[in-house]
Amino acid sequence: MSYELNIINQVVQGSLSPLYFPTEPSEQARFYKHLSKVPETCARQIHAQFGQSDDQSLSVESLDIRLLDRYHPPIFIVLNHEVQVYDVHAGEVLLGMVLQRLSLASESIIEWYHWQDESGSVHLELYAHYPLDDLNFEERRYHFYQKLLIEQVALVQQQMLQYIHKVPSRKKAQKYVQDHQQTLITYASQLLAYLDDEEKKVYDFSGEYNLPDVFKLIFLSIEELILFIEQKFVQYLGMHGYVSYHNSLISKTDLLKRYNAIQAALLQSSSSEDLLSVLNEAFLKFESIKPAQITYLDLMYLKKLLEELEIVTKKEKVNDFQIASVLYQLNFNSPAFLAYLMRCLDNKLEEKVLVSERLDVLYHYRKLSKQLAPKIRHAFKPGYATLEGQINNYIEEDIQRYQQELKANVPAPLSVTSSPVDGILEGDVSKIPTKLSVRQWAYLIRLFFEVKLFPEGNKAAVYRLFNQVLSTTHKKDLAEGSLYNRQYEADARTQEVVREKLQEMINFIRKDKPK
């Protein structure tokens, strides 16, 4: 902990904690000695609303009196009034009515103003000095921490600026800023634990100046210092450090608003439900963002992701490939997205029967993976392996497996000499013409193996031999693949033709009388 944060440290977790503030004024002196000057008065914020009787005369209808708080905005902002000029009675008349009601001297007035709201009601806001002795215990404790924290925040800001301006090393400046940032965020987390309150109530005060109100006051002062560091020393901030509570709340609201617009656009597009569910699962991270628990890198990543998705959804036509490409380039390594990509690749492979065709699919996606190289180094889940690495490993393993299978089952073509071989192979390979297609021959030869006519161990050699000596009238089929690769591609027409040929053989056998 740095010297500059010594008093704030004592306030959060030391001898100056609100938990130890004495009830007796005589014992409070040891606390007040930490102020530059012991105050004799305090300022109150007074809100008066006027009612109008039947004879059109005005009277003070209600009064709300509270300690003047730098974190409490003017009443017309709190009440969200549409301020209008009121000129029926002079403002001085309204002010006099309030002073008389409160028995206040005009010398105590700091500032005042009046207005009429959209419903016609008349209001007056007044800031006035009160003797410090008029405060009860809770008010006095709250007022003390107001004064102490105002002084300490200003002092810490001044000392930090002085240090950074004179420090000779950027590395030292960076360490100095990040140490202060982390210390303050730790204090803020401790105060949130004390409050045990919902996010939306952190900035709401009860007006009773109880202990939670004091803790909120301390919390806001620490937030002020964190924001000061973020704004003044942004070049020294650690990207792995946590974003301030205030900024994370603002960012969360903005991110969710933008994502809802993206989601609406995607629902109107042809995007698949699988991909939308991946996005929805991922963007639950936005809703679960807890203040002071999201880093600058996380926030930068989420903003970049939304920015890229917004560009895509503004196009006339949006498809799954465009969305998946954005996620891939941004290293969106969510397990759900990885599983989605694996399913898509497996479906593409299942459409292909030939090993060579499956390899072509894998080669295509390996090339595509290189073309869609990630744009940023940060990932959706920083602690997980990169999406690119996981996908590429999967593709490479499949490529090696299919290459080994192809090498084991499909030997290289036979070399053909220029001299005739039994009158069949001659020069550029003269083949025996047949009327069966490649698929029909492939299925027929497969039957030979199924009925054990050919031994299974010689399967590749047999297919290779037939492929070398046969030609068909379906030359297009020959160009598409070997007999070996077609053996499991038999369709209904193929089976029908082979059955007819086999039936002709059976009929011939029946007619052929043995000698």
Side-chain angles (χ1 to χ4, degrees):
M1 182 197 66
S2 67
Y3 172 77
E4 290 92 330
L5 299 178
N6 180 45
I7 297 297
I8 291 179
N9 173 64
Q10 292 184 53
V11 168
V12 175
Q13 55 188 17
S15 59
L16 290 179
S17 168
L19 296 170
Y20 307 133
F21 191 78
T23 56
E24 295 298 326
S26 60
E27 298 176 3
Q28 295 169 3
R30 62 185 178 88
F31 276 71
Y32 278 96
K33 71 179 182 180
H34 295 287
L35 294 177
S36 60
K37 182 181 178 181
V38 178
E40 296 180 356
T41 62
C42 66
R44 289 189 185 274
Q45 181 181 22
I46 303 164
H47 170 229
Q49 182 170 342
F50 296 85
Q52 198 170 38
S53 61
D54 295 337
D55 60 356
Q56 304 301 312
S57 61
L58 285 178
S59 61
V60 178
E61 189 174 74
S62 64
L63 282 171
D64 181 29
I65 306 173
R66 56 180 299 134
L67 289 174
L68 182 59
D69 194 334
R70 57 199 295 253
Y71 297 111
H72 193 272
I75 296 298
F76 67 86
I77 295 178
V78 175
L79 298 178
N80 195 27
H81 283 170
E82 294 180 8
V83 175
Q84 302 173 18
V85 176
Y86 176 74
D87 53 8
V88 177
H89 295 281
E92 287 76 11
V93 174
L94 302 177
L95 177 62
M97 296 170 64
V98 173
L99 293 177
Q100 183 179 6
R101 175 77 171 268
L102 296 174
S103 302
L104 281 178
S106 57
E107 292 79 10
S108 64
I109 298 173
I110 302 172
E111 182 182 341
W112 66 277
Y113 53 91
H114 68 288
W115 72 94
Q116 187 174 17
D117 64 26
E118 59 275 12
S119 67
S121 296
V122 181
H123 303 262
L124 182 140
E125 186 161 14
L126 168 67
Y127 305 129
H129 287 296
Y130 274 74
L132 198 62
D133 293 339
D134 287 357
L135 301 182
N136 60 33
F137 167 72
E138 283 80 9
E139 291 174 328
R140 193 177 182 93
R141 179 178 57 189
Y142 188 89
H143 180 262
F144 166 77
Y145 284 101
Q146 269 191 320
K147 294 295 184 181
L148 180 67
L149 292 167
I150 289 173
E151 288 187 2
Q152 288 301 312
V153 167
L155 182 61
V156 171
Q157 291 175 348
Q158 179 185 0
Q159 291 174 338
M160 290 192 72
L161 284 171
Q162 289 175 350
Y163 180 88
I164 295 298
H165 287 161
K166 69 180 181 181
V167 68
S169 167
R170 177 181 175 84
K171 187 175 182 180
K172 287 184 177 180
Q174 187 176 40
K175 184 179 187 308
Y176 177 84
V177 168
Q178 292 181 16
D179 285 349
H180 280 71
Q181 177 191 12
Q182 187 55 51
T183 300
L184 289 168
I185 288 174
T186 301
Y187 291 162
S189 299
Q190 291 175 352
L191 288 165
L192 289 176
Y194 293 155
L195 291 171
D196 191 24
D197 209 352
E198 298 178 12
E199 295 174 8
K200 64 181 180 180
K201 294 184 179 179
V202 170
Y203 298 102
D204 295 339
F205 292 79
S206 69
E208 298 175 358
Y209 309 107
N210 52 28
L211 204 55
D213 282 342
V214 179
F215 281 131
K216 290 179 182 180
L217 178 67
I218 300 169
F219 175 83
L220 291 181
S221 298
I222 291 174
E223 273 285 297
E224 187 176 348
L225 283 173
I226 297 174
L227 292 173
F228 170 79
I229 291 175
E230 289 181 356
Q231 294 165 2
K232 295 293 184 180
F233 310 121
V234 63
Q235 69 273 31
Y236 300 124
L237 291 177
M239 295 304 290
H240 293 282
Y242 289 109
V243 179
S244 66
Y245 186 97
H246 179 262
N247 279 355
S248 59
L249 281 183
I250 293 176
S251 298
K252 176 179 178 177
T253 302
D254 176 61
L255 293 175
L256 286 174
K257 181 179 179 181
R258 291 169 64 184
Y259 173 63
N260 288 336
I262 291 171
Q263 188 182 45
L266 290 176
L267 289 173
Q268 296 177 358
S269 70
S270 58
S271 300
S272 67
E273 291 185 4
D274 283 349
L275 190 53
L276 288 176
S277 66
V278 168
L279 281 174
N280 289 337
E281 179 183 348
F283 282 100
L284 287 176
K285 184 170 183 176
F286 286 179
E287 296 181 355
S288 63
I289 289 176
K290 294 182 178 179
Q293 293 186 8
I294 181 170
T295 67
Y296 293 99
L297 274 177
D298 289 334
L299 189 58
M300 178 192 72
Y301 179 89
L302 294 175
K303 287 181 176 179
K304 181 65 176 177
L305 179 58
L306 283 177
E307 179 184 319
E308 294 293 330
L309 289 174
E310 284 169 341
I311 293 174
V312 171
T313 52
K314 287 178 182 177
K315 295 181 179 180
E316 185 175 348
K317 292 184 178 180
V318 182
N319 55 46
D320 286 359
F321 178 76
Q322 292 170 325
I323 300 297
S325 296
V326 167
L327 299 181
Y328 191 86
Q329 288 184 302
L330 294 183
N331 197 9
F332 193 84
N333 57 345
S334 160
F337 183 52
L338 178 64
Y340 168 82
L341 293 179
M342 295 303 187
R343 287 196 302 271
C344 291
L345 182 54
D346 288 342
N347 290 339
K348 290 290 184 182
L349 292 173
E350 288 176 4
E351 293 174 2
K352 308 298 181 183
V353 177
L354 303 181
V355 174
S356 59
E357 291 176 329
R358 291 188 173 187
L359 278 171
D360 288 339
V361 171
L362 292 168
Y363 293 149
H364 169 73
Y365 280 98
R366 181 170 66 179
K367 180 179 179 181
L368 185 61
S369 174
K370 293 180 180 179
Q371 293 172 343
L372 297 175
K375 293 181 177 180
I376 58 177
R377 297 177 63 183
H378 191 51
F380 177 69
K381 289 185 174 290
Y384 285 48
T386 64
L387 179 65
E388 182 186 27
Q390 294 181 78
I391 290 293
N392 287 343
N393 286 341
Y394 181 86
I395 291 175
E396 290 299 332
E397 287 176 1
D398 264 11
I399 286 177
Q400 291 180 16
R401 178 164 60 86
Y402 284 123
Q403 284 177 337
Q404 291 172 358
E405 183 177 337
L406 192 62
K407 184 177 180 180
N409 295 325
V410 187
L414 287 173
S415 59
V416 182
T417 64
S418 58
S419 56
V421 180
D422 296 333
I424 296 175
L425 303 179
E426 187 176 6
D428 294 332
V429 187
S430 297
K431 297 187 178 184
I432 301 172
T434 71
K435 293 183 179 180
L436 293 180
S437 69
V438 172
R439 289 188 182 185
Q440 292 160 4
W441 267 113
Y443 185 60
L444 180 59
I445 299 170
R446 176 188 164 194
L447 294 180
F448 293 161
F449 283 101
E450 295 292 345
V451 298
K452 310 300 181 184
L453 182 62
F454 294 148
E456 189 71 25
N458 295 339
K459 196 172 187 178
V462 171
Y463 273 103
R464 182 185 62 191
L465 179 62
F466 273 89
N467 192 62
Q468 292 293 323
V469 301
L470 298 177
S471 68
T472 79
T473 55
H474 303 274
K475 293 185 178 180
K476 183 178 180 181
D477 284 345
L478 273 176
E480 291 180 359
S482 67
L483 288 167
Y484 180 87
N485 288 336
R486 297 287 185 184
Q487 61 181 303
Y488 295 105
E489 291 188 2
D491 52 19
R493 176 58 182 163
T494 297
Q495 291 181 340
E496 181 182 353
V497 171
V498 172
R499 186 185 302 109
E500 289 175 356
K501 293 300 179 184
L502 292 175
Q503 188 62 49
E504 288 178 14
M505 292 180 187
I506 293 172
N507 292 339
F508 176 80
I509 292 173
R510 287 173 179 172
K511 293 179 182 178
D512 188 29
K513 302 297 182 181
K515 295 180 180 179

